[in-house]
Amino acid sequence: RKEVEQDPGPFNVPEGATVAFNCTYSNSASQSFFWYRQDCRKEPKLLMSVYSSGNEDGRFTAQLNRASQYISLLIRDSKLSDSATYLCVVNMGRDNAGNMLTFGGGTRLMVKP
Amino acid sequence: DGGITQSPKYLFRKEGQNVTLSCEQNLNHDAMYWYRQDPGQGLRLIYYSQIVNDFQKGDIAEGYSVSREKKESFPLTVTSAQKNPTAFYLCASRGQGNYEQYFGPGTRLTVT
């Protein structure tokens, strides 16, 4: 089983749609969770951190379910510019300082006019 | 501007040659990381350094070497021992007390 697992997609949605991605992680001791966005042939960029209580940033909402070990990202009112690959990232705490990130393979989103 | 720079953006080498990828940051971050990304796959950790003059192997360190002589710089050498060196190489850094990592623009290495 992969440490961080995502549906690779692609998710093809029309502009204005609401789309949700889920991600599962294997290490129940994981403490920090993030969503990164990666455009084609570019570096990943931090989209948002995921807090236990859930958090929202404009059209984006992230939620964490520790009991089931999954993280979700909801995008409302999709824009063409949201087309990208979304990476689920988990701090597995494997180094001495507990600061190692493990990346999922990414979920590709394509928003169509 | 503060940030992480990687050079060159594209690099072509012949098989059997060593090549060094540059990573520089002016964010005053202590920790730096090197990842490799293959098409359609997630990032895999090659090496990381939490402080100057110290570095640790990641999950796929074989065929790679690094140095950390300055806080700002963390160069990666891809040696001829790396069996499949063609990939997208990403450098990242992290500030003390934070878990988020920030990435440079990457170097796309092609070995033929």
Side-chain angles (χ1 to χ4, degrees):
Chain A
R1 181 186 173 189
K2 291 182 182 177
E3 292 183 292
V4 179
E5 202 145 9
Q6 297 181 250
D7 180 345
F11 284 56
N12 294 299
V13 302
E15 252 185 309
T18 295
V19 61
F21 308 137
N22 287 332
C23 160
T24 58
Y25 60 95
S26 61
N27 187 345
S28 59
S30 299
Q31 292 298 316
S32 303
F33 310 88
F34 310 95
W35 285 101
Y36 279 72
R37 170 195 169 125
Q38 186 173 24
D39 291 288
C40 189
R41 301 179 71 83
K42 299 284 190 180
E43 76 274 22
K45 293 186 178 178
L46 180 65
L47 179 65
M48 57 197 306
S49 303
V50 186
Y51 303 119
S52 295
S53 56
N55 48 302
E56 187 174 311
D57 182 3
R59 297 182 293 109
F60 299 84
T61 300
Q63 293 196 311
L64 168 64
N65 184 321
R66 284 190 186 273
S68 301
Q69 293 179 215
Y70 81 79
I71 309 145
S72 64
L73 177 68
L74 182 78
I75 306 175
R76 290 180 298 278
D77 188 24
S78 300
K79 311 290 184 192
L80 295 176
S81 56
D82 293 335
S83 297
T85 297
Y86 291 84
L87 306 178
C88 175
V89 183
V90 177
N91 181 343
M92 296 282 189
R94 287 182 288 131
D95 71 351
N96 292 339
N99 294 316
M100 302 303 289
L101 298 183
T102 300
F103 290 76
T107 297
R108 190 171 172 207
L109 171 66
M110 298 178 69
V111 181
K112 302 288 178 71
Chain B
D1 282 357
I4 306 172
T5 57
Q6 291 184 243
S7 61
K9 191 172 182 179
Y10 298 96
L11 190 54
F12 298 88
R13 279 293 182 270
K14 294 288 187 185
E15 201 173 305
Q17 293 179 333
N18 291 355
V19 60
T20 297
L21 282 58
S22 165
C23 177
E24 305 277 332
Q25 55 98 0
N26 61 4
L27 301 168
N28 200 33
H29 285 175
D30 288 310
M32 296 185 75
Y33 305 80
W34 273 106
Y35 295 90
R36 167 185 174 137
Q37 188 175 36
D38 293 281
Q41 297 191 32
L43 278 68
R44 292 184 290 167
L45 182 66
I46 304 172
Y47 266 99
Y48 65 99
S49 168
Q50 296 189 67
I51 196 167
V52 174
N53 292 322
D54 183 63
F55 49 82
Q56 305 294 330
K57 291 182 180 180
D59 299 319
I60 54 164
E62 186 176 349
Y64 299 98
S65 65
V66 294
S67 62
R68 187 85 187 275
E69 297 176 0
K70 298 187 299 181
K71 188 175 185 177
E72 302 79 17
S73 179
F74 190 40
L76 172 75
T77 297
V78 184
T79 74
S80 56
Q82 167 51 231
K83 294 178 183 177
N84 297 296
T86 294
F88 187 36
Y89 289 88
L90 289 156
C91 178
S93 70
R94 176 182 59 79
Q96 192 173 17
N98 298 319
Y99 291 117
E100 301 91 345
Q101 294 179 16
Y102 296 91
F103 287 85
T107 292
R108 206 164 286 276
L109 173 65
T110 302
V111 177
T112 56

